[in-house]
Amino acid sequence: MPQPHRPTRPARPPQPQRARRGGPQARRPGDKPRWGVRIAAGVSVVVLGSGAVGHAVMTGLDTGIQRVDPFKDMKNRPQAGHGLNFLLVGTDGRDGITKEEKREYRLGGAPCRCTDTIMLVHLSADKERASVISLPRDSYAEVPAHHDLVTGKPHKAHPVKLNAAYAEGGPNLTVRTVENMTRVKIDHYLEVDFTSFMKTVDAMGGVEICTAKPMRDTYTGLDLLPGTHRLTGGQALQYVRSRHIDGASDLGRMQRQQRFVAALIKQATGSGVLLNPVKFKEVSSTLLGSVRADKDFGSEQMLALGQAMRDFTPSSSEFASVPVGDASYAVKGIGSTVKWDAAKAAKLFESVRQDRPLAPARAGGTRRPAAVPVDVPPNQIKVRVENGTRIDGLGNRVDSALRATGFNTTGTPGNGAGRDVRRTVIAYDPRWDRSARTVATALPGSELRAVPRQGRTVLVIAGTDYKKVVPVRAEDPYQGAFGVVTGDQVVCGR
């Protein structure tokens, strides 16, 4: 089983990854444009998009789907809105995992028959946007009256943690509870367990994740050094399950799950999976062959989703977490729960019902370029810029570019003591070395120079080698209330 990739020089700031030699994006000097690949991709779009052929390619996939009826006997449901709403539930089922995989990925113990992950996914009516909202599994919830799934005994409505709804009443009670809490009508239900998750990631060829700092969790076995990693199915499972990396616990894990979904969308839309009928069928059959879904979701809906996502980019997806009012709301007999901020949550789900984007519109409709994750948020770093060359206006250009990517610059760059600096220098106090590494990530190729007792302001001396500032973003443990980000903000930068 492949092991997590470890960069050979982890001490260096993470750099934007270049196309791997020999990989799908690599091109040798003198190569002609890959017109054959482009033509094949175009033909694939036509094949996958044409009804008769597309359905022929997908024929037979429905037979492998395990069916559930999450909407049975449901009454007084919310009014349908615009677009499609999916409830994506991750459970801890592990029946198809080998003993070796259980040992390597720390999957021992008995399944809890509860939901490990709950996401509400909204596909806009125009099929141009996907909104993913994470629902904390420890959310304070009140399940409606129901019959216990195991004993068959009737239960009155009572408070629980959200993930316990599945244990008491399966998919049906889970959907009823989520609809009661959000007032969003669920159109389709998809249930993915550990096995189907690992198989699907492997069928996709792995998924690329980047991190600005070490990620270690002794409970799951996750062990990643700073840098970029292509995770296999088992390694990806470790990544999305880890809760003991930082103090944010389940809230931090939800953010990592969102990053992973964004990376998965990038892999699907950027690697040709959606443009290649054979590959699309392989991935679809892997997913549909090991999930549980409602009776109305099958190959036809999978094909429609594939067609809708053909023009998707990472910026087409947006991610949010339910606004939290109290992260440690104590409930007698249940323990500590996560209490939602009722007013903010209502506003969030109203946007879903009205099919409105969750992320604020960007000025001029511009898309923010993918950014490299860093340890310290740029807006927390004070930067002073000096021009170390004879190039007029270089200091202003560097100051403006650093400020545009979020750094707290002085806005009044000066001239350096020398005017013959070739390589850009980042002078910093060793006590603020993490801040300096963040600046160095934004200025690849620069020289880090420790200056004791300089203070917390980082000094950038621009050299003649300066070309541009690479966008960076903070890798915070939790996005905060609402905390909407788009996929292009959280996937690995280039």
Side-chain angles (χ1 to χ4, degrees):
M1 183 67 65
Q3 297 298 313
H5 166 69
R6 300 178 184 276
T8 55
R9 295 181 181 179
R12 289 186 178 183
Q15 303 293 326
Q17 187 189 31
R18 298 174 181 175
R20 294 178 175 83
R21 185 172 300 172
Q25 297 176 345
R27 184 184 295 176
R28 296 184 180 89
D31 275 3
K32 296 180 180 179
R34 301 173 63 187
W35 297 113
V37 175
R38 297 180 187 179
I39 292 172
V43 171
S44 297
V45 172
V46 175
V47 169
L48 189 57
S50 62
V53 179
H55 286 287
V57 169
M58 301 293 286
T59 297
L61 294 187
D62 287 350
T63 56
I65 304 176
Q66 297 182 53
R67 295 297 181 184
V68 295
D69 189 0
F71 310 119
K72 183 179 180 180
D73 297 330
M74 288 184 62
K75 300 176 182 177
N76 301 318
R77 301 185 65 191
Q79 185 176 353
H82 304 286
L84 282 176
N85 299 312
F86 298 79
L87 188 64
L88 178 61
V89 169
T91 68
D92 68 345
R94 57 198 80 183
D95 294 342
I97 298 176
T98 66
K99 291 182 179 179
E100 292 75 16
E101 289 172 330
K102 287 182 179 179
R103 182 170 57 252
E104 181 168 2
Y105 301 121
R106 314 286 174 89
L107 297 172
C112 72
R113 274 202 54 80
C114 57
T115 49
D116 206 48
T117 300
I118 306 172
M119 289 181 174
L120 178 62
V121 182
H122 173 77
L123 183 64
S124 64
D126 60 12
K127 305 296 191 297
E128 293 184 359
R129 184 185 72 257
S131 305
V132 181
I133 302 175
S134 296
L135 311 182
R137 66 177 191 173
D138 291 337
S139 295
Y140 172 84
E142 294 184 7
V143 295
H146 62 280
H147 284 80
D148 190 283
L149 190 66
V150 177
T151 65
K153 294 182 179 179
H155 281 294
K156 295 181 180 180
H158 62 277
V160 295
K161 292 183 179 181
L162 180 56
N163 70 334
Y166 186 93
E168 288 192 23
N172 182 267
L173 186 61
T174 301
V175 170
R176 290 176 64 194
T177 304
V178 169
E179 286 193 346
N180 284 352
M181 296 174 73
T182 65
R183 303 312 301 163
V184 172
K185 185 177 182 180
I186 304 300
D187 299 298
H188 290 294
Y189 174 89
L190 290 175
E191 182 180 310
V192 181
D193 63 14
F194 289 172
T195 306
S196 55
F197 178 87
M198 292 171 65
K199 287 181 178 179
T200 302
V201 171
D202 285 334
M204 295 279 290
V207 173
E208 190 176 80
I209 290 294
C210 48
T211 176
K213 52 190 173 184
M215 284 191 172
R216 294 188 177 91
D217 188 334
T218 56
Y219 289 84
T220 64
L222 180 71
D223 188 4
L224 298 178
L225 293 178
T228 300
H229 314 266
R230 181 164 290 276
L231 306 183
T232 63
Q235 295 160 0
L237 186 60
Q238 291 176 312
Y239 181 82
V240 299
R241 289 183 62 227
S242 292
R243 305 175 66 226
H244 304 278
I245 293 175
D246 47 50
S249 188
D250 195 46
L251 300 180
R253 182 180 69 157
M254 287 194 312
Q255 188 184 39
R256 285 186 288 277
Q257 290 171 348
Q258 292 173 355
R259 290 180 197 156
F260 185 85
V261 173
L264 194 66
I265 291 174
K266 180 181 179 182
Q267 174 72 6
T269 57
S271 64
V273 169
L274 298 177
L275 300 180
N276 186 325
V278 176
K279 186 65 177 177
F280 181 69
K281 181 175 182 178
E282 177 190 347
V283 173
S284 300
S285 61
T286 301
L287 175 63
L288 296 179
S290 51
V291 304
R292 300 211 303 166
D294 62 272
K295 62 182 179 60
D296 293 324
F297 186 86
S299 60
E300 192 170 321
Q301 286 69 35
M302 200 72 175
L303 179 61
L305 278 177
Q307 292 170 340
M309 291 181 65
R310 281 190 320 226
D311 297 324
F312 258 42
T313 64
S315 62
S316 303
S317 57
E318 54 184 10
F319 301 86
S321 300
V322 176
V324 173
D326 187 347
S328 302
Y329 181 69
V331 180
K332 185 177 180 180
I334 298 176
S336 179
T337 67
V338 176
K339 189 73 176 290
W340 295 359
D341 183 310
K344 291 181 179 179
K347 185 177 179 181
L348 176 68
F349 294 118
E350 174 66 15
S351 294
V352 174
R353 288 192 294 273
Q354 297 299 324
D355 198 22
R356 295 195 298 259
L358 306 180
R362 295 175 184 171
T366 57
R367 291 179 176 178
R368 192 176 304 174
V372 180
V374 290
D375 193 6
V376 181
N379 62 3
Q380 296 180 11
I381 303 174
K382 186 78 171 179
V383 178
R384 180 165 60 90
V385 177
E386 290 183 356
N387 186 353
T389 75
R390 299 184 185 277
I391 303 173
D392 290 339
L394 180 61
N396 279 315
R397 283 164 48 201
V398 175
D399 184 284
S400 298
L402 287 170
R403 179 173 288 273
T405 202
F407 289 95
N408 182 18
T409 67
T410 62
T412 55
N415 291 322
R419 308 304 298 274
D420 57 354
V421 176
R422 294 184 178 180
R423 183 182 178 191
T424 298
V425 174
I426 298 173
Y428 67 98
D429 190 312
R431 292 175 296 173
W432 284 276
D433 60 322
R434 292 167 57 232
S435 295
R437 287 197 296 272
T438 291
V439 179
T441 302
L443 293 167
S446 55
E447 175 190 343
L448 281 167
R449 185 179 297 173
V451 181
R453 295 183 297 279
Q454 175 176 292
R456 67 179 305 155
T457 298
V458 177
L459 173 62
V460 173
I461 306 173
T464 56
D465 67 336
Y466 170 78
K467 292 183 176 61
K468 65 176 182 178
V469 169
V470 174
V472 296
R473 61 174 170 81
E475 192 173 60
D476 293 326
Y478 176 51
Q479 293 162 191
F482 251 109
V484 182
V485 295
T486 51
D488 56 323
Q489 293 174 258
V490 294
V491 294
C492 296
R494 288 289 183 229

